[in-house]
């Protein structure tokens, strides 16, 4: 056993980690290692900090992987809380300030139930943004991506190179697009033969 008191059984080691990817809802991550913890990993929010509890024996690579997994799980749990239109508009303002220097200023942002073939839409002339209700319950970073996509249309109407350059500022663009493509692909899968629908 090490003479270092932080390595004694039951005394968690605290490791500050890099800030989480944007959209996770927290500003800092703290990893706590414990020799009592054998296999389980857990995480919770503590104010503006995310605390991830891991076994002391984990390698740095495993730690990075588990921090990412737990951040995604927390974000998914938090996104199940449905945002109202007012919260959605406030979120759009924060994202515009963070990624577009506040230049994208929507007049209205709201959920709609009549968009079943697209995730969102924007009418630049009116400054209105509408998000499909199908996004409700998806991870926070996915909703943020769709909001940013529509906010970018307030600055650049089409999907040309200038438009995509704007979205490059959001670090989870590719991941969010992949998530949405997966949802679309899953919707096209045939039902499993012999499976009962009740």
């Amino acid at each position: 056993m090490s003479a270092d008191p932080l390595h004694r059984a039951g005394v968690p080691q605290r490791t500050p980690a890099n800030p989480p990817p944007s959209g996770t809802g927290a500003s800092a991550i703290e990893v706590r290692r414990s020799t009592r913890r054998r296999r389980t990993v857990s995480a919770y929010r503590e104010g503006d900090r995310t605390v991830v509890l891991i076994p002391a024996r984990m390698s740095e690579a495993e730690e990075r992987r588990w921090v990412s997994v737990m951040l995604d799980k927390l974000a998914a749990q938090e996104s199940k809380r449905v945002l109202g239109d007012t919260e959605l508009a406030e979120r759009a303002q924060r994202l515009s300030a963070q990624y577009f220097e506040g230049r994208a200023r929507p007049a209205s942002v709201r959920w709609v139930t009549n968009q079943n073939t697209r995730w969102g839409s924007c009418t630049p002339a009116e400054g209105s943004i509408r998000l499909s209700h199908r996004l409700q319950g998806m991870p926070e970073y996915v909703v943020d991506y769709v909001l940013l996509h529509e906010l970018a249309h307030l600055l650049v109407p089409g999907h040309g190179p200038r438009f995509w350059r704007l979205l490059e500022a959001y670090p989870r663009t590719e991941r969010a697009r992949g998530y949405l493509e997966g949802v679309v692909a899953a919707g096209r899968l045939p039902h499993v033969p012999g499976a009962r629908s009740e």
Side-chain angles (χ1 to χ4, degrees), residues 67-171:
V67 165
S68 177
V69 166
M70 298 313 289
L71 287 174
D72 285 346
K73 281 188 175 189
L74 282 174
Q77 290 168 0
E78 290 165 355
S79 71
K80 287 181 181 167
R81 183 181 70 83
V82 176
L83 299 174
D85 289 347
T86 302
E87 293 169 304
L88 197 61
E90 289 168 358
R91 186 183 203 113
Q93 286 178 340
R94 282 193 307 271
L95 290 168
S96 176
Q98 184 174 358
Y99 294 101
F100 303 144
E101 299 169 348
R103 292 178 295 134
R105 295 185 188 103
S108 68
V109 182
R110 62 191 174 93
W111 295 107
V112 294
T113 57
N114 63 350
Q115 288 187 9
N116 294 313
T117 58
R118 10 161 127 180
W119 298 112
S121 63
C122 174
T123 308
E126 297 173 5
S128 62
I129 292 176
R130 294 159 305 281
L131 295 191
S132 172
H133 72 286
R134 296 178 305 138
L135 288 165
Q136 294 174 336
M138 288 190 187
E140 192 174 280
Y141 73 91
V142 174
V143 176
D144 285 353
Y145 165 73
V146 177
L147 266 175
L148 280 165
H149 184 106
E150 302 310 331
L151 286 165
H153 279 309
L154 293 175
L155 305 173
V156 181
H159 287 106
R162 234 178 97 221
F163 174 85
W164 293 111
R165 274 195 301 276
L166 282 173
L167 286 180
E168 285 174 3
Y170 184 57

